Amino acid sequence: MSVRITEQISWRGDVLEFRLILFGGSVSWFYIYLQAFAQLGMEGLGKRKARYQIDEVRVAGRQRILSDSQIDMNAYRISTVGDYVESRLRQMKMEDGHWQMHFLTPLAMKFQGEFLREFRAEALVQGACRRLQMLDYYVDCEAEMPRVAEYPLVFSQKSEFCQVGRYSSTQDARMTLRGIRGTVRYRTMPEDCLRYLLAGELLHIGKNTSFGFGKYRLEKG
């Protein structure tokens, strides 16, 4: 979804793009969410009540369903996490080189009781598995934590500690969220791990995912 700012949040005329992912029964409420975003734009967002208007809305396949205030629900399509994974697998068959995992936003994840200071293959795969398990619970499907026999072997990595400031309206105070960003390269990539990690691209992993943390892209190169 793309919204165009008409009153200052950052700068007048800025465009903010974001993704809204709906699961289970909430998929049928898409039009209600869309109306809520439109109403919020008229009411104003944040302390300064910055107003915005929705510029366009596209579904996962990039098909445009709203543009110039006109909505075409006939173009609305529902896809699954499995659809996403299969699509990514087809893309990767055309790529060569070592597996690389690029973290586009900070990763905040605990492993063996401590927050990660560098990337650990076991922790990352388990994080993706845990996210899928919780999603199954959300749609009323009892699921055990997936078991992985073999984890990817790390070839090299580059990571850096970073922090992101945010404002909490609940606590009426500024807060700092911390994590690591960077790239990890793998020498091997077992098939079952690959599928879980590709699903994690869509779902994000670790803590603070509601703030965009744990977003990554898996590639070959």
Side-chain angles (χ1 to χ4, degrees):
M1 185 179 296
S2 173
V3 299
R4 188 172 301 276
I5 307 303
T6 57
E7 296 290 341
Q8 185 171 341
I9 291 180
S10 53
W11 295 103
R12 187 188 302 269
D14 278 358
V15 176
L16 169 67
E17 293 186 9
F18 62 92
R19 296 171 68 187
L20 174 67
I21 303 177
L22 304 176
F23 296 105
S26 62
V27 172
S28 61
W29 295 95
F30 165 75
Y31 191 68
I32 302 300
Y33 288 115
L34 182 58
Q35 288 182 314
F37 277 114
Q39 185 64 35
L40 181 60
M42 292 185 284
E43 295 284 339
L45 181 66
K47 279 191 171 183
R48 299 182 182 180
K49 297 296 181 181
R51 293 193 294 274
Y52 63 85
Q53 62 188 29
I54 299 177
D55 212 23
E56 66 173 16
V57 178
R58 295 176 182 266
V59 293
R62 304 303 297 166
Q63 178 70 34
R64 183 181 296 172
I65 63 173
L66 185 147
S67 181
D68 298 326
S69 301
Q70 299 296 316
I71 187 166
D72 179 14
M73 288 303 292
N74 290 324
Y76 184 56
R77 297 289 183 272
I78 297 175
S79 59
T80 66
V81 176
D83 293 334
Y84 177 84
V85 170
E86 292 302 323
S87 174
R88 292 286 287 120
L89 285 171
R90 288 193 294 271
Q91 291 176 3
M92 291 195 152
K93 286 182 179 179
M94 303 167 60
E95 300 176 358
D96 295 314
H98 287 293
W99 294 98
Q100 303 179 71
M101 198 169 173
H102 304 284
F103 275 87
L104 308 175
T105 61
L107 170 70
M109 176 182 288
K110 274 190 172 182
F111 183 64
Q112 297 179 346
E114 297 182 357
F115 278 100
L116 293 179
R117 305 291 296 191
E118 62 178 15
F119 299 114
R120 298 276 301 273
E122 184 177 354
L124 300 179
V125 173
Q126 287 184 9
C129 291
R130 190 175 301 109
R131 186 67 64 184
L132 282 169
Q133 181 190 34
M134 296 307 296
L135 183 58
D136 283 335
Y137 283 138
Y138 177 74
V139 295
D140 295 324
C141 177
E142 287 287 337
E144 296 183 356
M145 179 70 171
R147 297 182 181 276
V148 177
E150 180 184 3
Y151 292 99
L153 293 178
V154 174
F155 176 71
S156 65
Q157 67 172 285
K158 181 179 180 181
S159 61
E160 62 178 2
F161 178 78
C162 56
Q163 46 190 33
V164 177
R166 64 170 292 264
Y167 175 79
S168 170
S169 57
T170 303
Q171 301 182 26
D172 192 23
R174 291 193 171 277
M175 302 177 63
T176 300
L177 305 179
R178 299 175 174 82
I180 56 174
R181 290 183 66 170
T183 300
V184 55
R185 294 178 174 83
Y186 299 109
R187 193 181 303 275
T188 62
M189 179 59 67
E191 178 69 21
D192 52 351
C193 292
L194 174 60
R195 289 180 172 273
Y196 291 131
L197 290 176
L198 288 175
E201 284 185 337
L202 186 65
L203 307 176
H204 297 200
I205 60 175
K207 297 179 178 294
N208 300 324
T209 54
S210 57
F211 299 110
F213 272 42
K215 179 181 180 180
Y216 62 87
R217 182 78 172 178
L218 194 61
E219 299 173 343
K220 278 184 173 181

